[in-house]
Amino acid sequence: MPDPLLAPLGRPRLMGVVNVTPDSFSDGGRWVEPGAAIAHAHDLLADGADILDIGGESTRPGATRPLVEEELGRVVPVIRALAADGAVVSVDTMRADVAEASLAAGATMVNDVSGGLADPRMLEVVAAAGAPYVAMHWRAHSDHMRDFARYDAAGGVVAAVCEELSQRVEAMLAAGIAPDRIVLDPGLGFAKRAEHNWQLLAGLDAVQALGHPVLVGASRKSFLGSLLPGPDGSPRPVDRREDANTAVTVHLAQQGVWGIRVHDVRASRDALAVVERLAAEHHQTLPTPTPQESA
Ligand code: PMM
């Protein structure tokens, strides 16, 4: 039976980001104390987050990795507290040890930006837990991912991401992860230049055609900043990209994705309310085509 978390809801689920890190590009250092992270997570829930995504490793371009003990110390207490409060929690980690400890602490889902490539034990841990698993398209760790942002073969970035995600799905199935537990993510900003991110957003139906629910994270990423340069040509700063991200949310809702990973839950939730309301109006007021008209 499909996990209830992955069952259709009539709108995308909003995954609210809580980075318990000193150095994430979007909010590094703001929620590094457990109390601050937990309070922020509750604000996101109040704003309408369906899932809280708790991460203890920054994946910003050029980032160096924390020790596994550091990552565990950051995420496990926060996950334990939020799960005890009844929140649906996902752990954003590439490490099997962190996934295992987080699931034991009450996380429901594992969000692995490496799709199982960074840690050979990850797929086994997820399979044993029977947990829903987000597998993102990934080519290399953040300190050198820029070197891998090349998509020269026919079909460009969309075809390459689909092909590489399909290979990951095969590995997941071989490891014993049930097909109805798998969510795929094209990995905006990970070994992607700005034009690759736009091509992926425009080509999401190909990713969805792989047959799994799709999660997308565009929030605060640099391709939104470079779309909106200031008068001196410098990219729009991270904390002023929200309106553009909300427009992306509308696009993603119209595409019918399963989930959207955002920092500002309220803005995206408001956008979803508009999309849902208009869809309801269409269903109620548009004439149903006769068989001849629809042929
Ligand atoms: N992006 C970031 C971190 N984790 N997880 C998924 N599934 N998809 C993403 O696009 C993604 C992610 C980087 O953003 P952050 O530093 O603001 O969390």
Side-chain angles (χ1 to χ4, degrees):
M1 216 184 59
D3 191 282
L5 190 57
L6 303 193
L9 191 65
R11 63 162 173 83
R13 279 161 173 87
L14 286 180
M15 179 185 260
V17 179
V18 182
N19 287 320
V20 195
T21 58
D23 56 342
S24 289
F25 76 95
S26 51
D27 54 1
R30 290 187 69 187
W31 326 117
V32 78
E33 293 303 324
I38 293 163
H40 179 56
H42 278 286
D43 288 345
L44 296 179
L45 288 174
D47 285 344
D50 300 292
I51 304 166
L52 297 168
D53 192 35
I54 314 299
E57 171 175 358
S58 165
T59 48
R60 80 183 146 75
T64 50
R65 305 196 71 190
L67 298 172
V68 65
E69 294 76 18
E70 282 174 315
E71 192 183 342
L72 283 166
R74 290 173 186 171
V75 299
V76 170
V78 174
I79 290 172
R80 186 171 293 121
L82 292 170
D85 291 341
V88 177
V89 176
S90 134
V91 58
D92 185 347
T93 187
M94 291 183 258
R95 287 178 163 135
D97 287 350
V98 177
E100 210 164 30
S102 299
L103 291 165
T108 302
M109 178 177 218
V110 177
N111 172 25
D112 177 2
V113 298
S114 84
L117 286 170
D119 185 331
R121 215 169 63 82
M122 178 62 100
L123 300 185
E124 192 187 303
V125 164
V126 171
Y133 179 60
V134 180
M136 200 191 77
H137 177 261
W138 184 89
R139 285 182 163 182
H141 283 290
S142 301
D143 55 354
H144 60 294
M145 67 180 171
R146 284 197 186 98
D147 304 339
F148 290 81
R150 290 192 66 108
Y151 300 92
D152 299 330
V157 67
V158 174
V161 164
C162 288
E163 172 55 29
E164 290 167 36
L165 282 176
S166 304
Q167 290 167 9
R168 297 317 302 148
V169 170
E170 294 205 355
M172 290 174 233
L173 299 178
I177 298 178
D180 61 14
R181 294 290 187 275
I182 298 172
V183 176
L184 299 177
D185 183 328
L188 302 185
F190 288 80
K192 319 278 182 329
R193 293 200 308 268
E195 69 263 30
H196 300 138
N197 297 323
W198 291 114
Q199 287 158 12
L200 283 165
L201 280 173
L204 273 182
D205 47 349
V207 183
Q208 291 179 298
L210 297 175
H212 296 277
V214 169
L215 172 74
V216 178
S219 184
R220 299 190 180 166
K221 288 188 176 167
S222 65
F223 74 107
L224 299 178
S226 57
L227 178 74
L228 308 164
D232 63 354
S234 60
R236 177 80 63 83
V238 165
D239 58 352
R240 295 181 52 224
R241 298 174 184 167
E242 199 51 51
D243 296 349
N245 185 61
T246 306
V248 176
T249 291
V250 172
H251 168 67
L252 294 174
Q254 288 167 340
Q255 293 291 306
V257 301
W258 168 83
I260 308 178
R261 187 178 178 278
V262 293
H263 300 84
D264 182 338
V265 168
R266 188 171 51 183
S268 278
R269 196 63 196 245
D270 289 356
L272 291 185
V274 172
V275 173
E276 272 186 282
R277 183 65 187 82
L278 284 170
E281 199 63 29
H282 273 289
H283 289 312
Q284 277 164 21
T285 58
L286 288 189
T288 316
T290 62
Q292 279 138 326
E293 280 169 342
S294 58

